[in-house]
Amino acid sequence: MKINADSHSKINLVILTFSLIAISIVATLSFFQGAYSGNGWLGGLGLVLISLLIYRGPAKFKYDTEGEVMNLSTEDQIWGKILRSFERQYEFPKRKFKGYKLEGWFLRRKLTIYINSRSGTVKERTLIVSHLTAEQRKKLTNSLNKYSQIAKHGGRRKRTTE
């Protein structure tokens, strides 16, 4: 199954552009004497919108389970070069996928996946998936439940014969 969510990247670019214009207008007007100084709220609004874009996380999410490998990645064309946490890519065999947890806060959702390692420990990897729609989240959880070792075995550990 494939999920390629990229619907908000253009909107985020427009919001960032208007926020930077608002901040630059306030900064420019502050240098002129006698200029109306009651427009500081405009710069504040620009800063709030920029911080909201950073808080929500990367706008592009890709999920692919074709073949024997699971691919999960997040990208952001705006903040990806500045913030390394916005550019994540995980690729691992489906048989090593143990489980997942999807948490949601105000305007932000975080997907934590658990992967069995060679040494027998469980590795935890995190992706921010705030920009997924409700339908895409449902498809993602259904697909992750399908491959989850916890869901397959009812939370019990597999018995090995000795």
Side-chain angles (χ1 to χ4, degrees), residues 90-108:
Y90 302 118
E91 185 174 319
F92 53 91
K94 290 178 189 175
R95 61 184 162 73
K96 296 213 178 232
F97 179 62
K98 180 176 177 132
Y100 73 97
K101 179 171 55 172
L102 187 61
E103 298 174 322
W105 298 292
F106 178 71
L107 296 177
R108 184 177 171 125

Side-chain angles (χ1 to χ4, degrees), residues 1-3 63-71 92 94 143 147:
M1 177 179 157
K2 288 186 179 184
I3 296 176
Y63 173 73
D64 185 15
T65 57
E66 305 269 329
E68 292 295 317
V69 178
M70 289 181 91
N71 294 314
F92 53 91
K94 290 178 189 175
S143 179
Y147 297 112

Side-chain angles (χ1 to χ4, degrees), residues 55 101-112 127-130 137:
Y55 173 73
K101 179 171 55 172
L102 187 61
E103 298 174 322
W105 298 292
F106 178 71
L107 296 177
R108 184 177 171 125
R109 298 209 186 280
K110 183 173 77 167
L111 174 67
T112 306
L127 297 157
I128 299 172
V129 293
S130 300
R137 277 195 313 270

Side-chain angles (χ1 to χ4, degrees), residues 77-91:
Q77 71 185 66
I78 301 170
W79 306 108
K81 310 249 186 306
I82 300 168
L83 302 171
R84 298 192 118 207
S85 64
F86 278 38
E87 297 282 330
R88 300 276 171 125
Q89 181 173 2
Y90 302 118
E91 185 174 319

Side-chain angles (χ1 to χ4, degrees), residues 31-73:
F31 289 117
F32 295 117
Q33 277 186 340
Y36 180 64
S37 62
N39 55 5
W41 64 271
L42 190 61
L45 180 65
L47 289 173
V48 166
L49 288 175
I50 289 174
S51 61
L52 185 67
L53 288 177
I54 293 172
Y55 173 73
R56 293 239 21 223
K60 190 180 231 183
F61 174 73
K62 290 182 182 178
Y63 173 73
D64 185 15
T65 57
E66 305 269 329
E68 292 295 317
V69 178
M70 289 181 91
N71 294 314
L72 293 107
S73 65

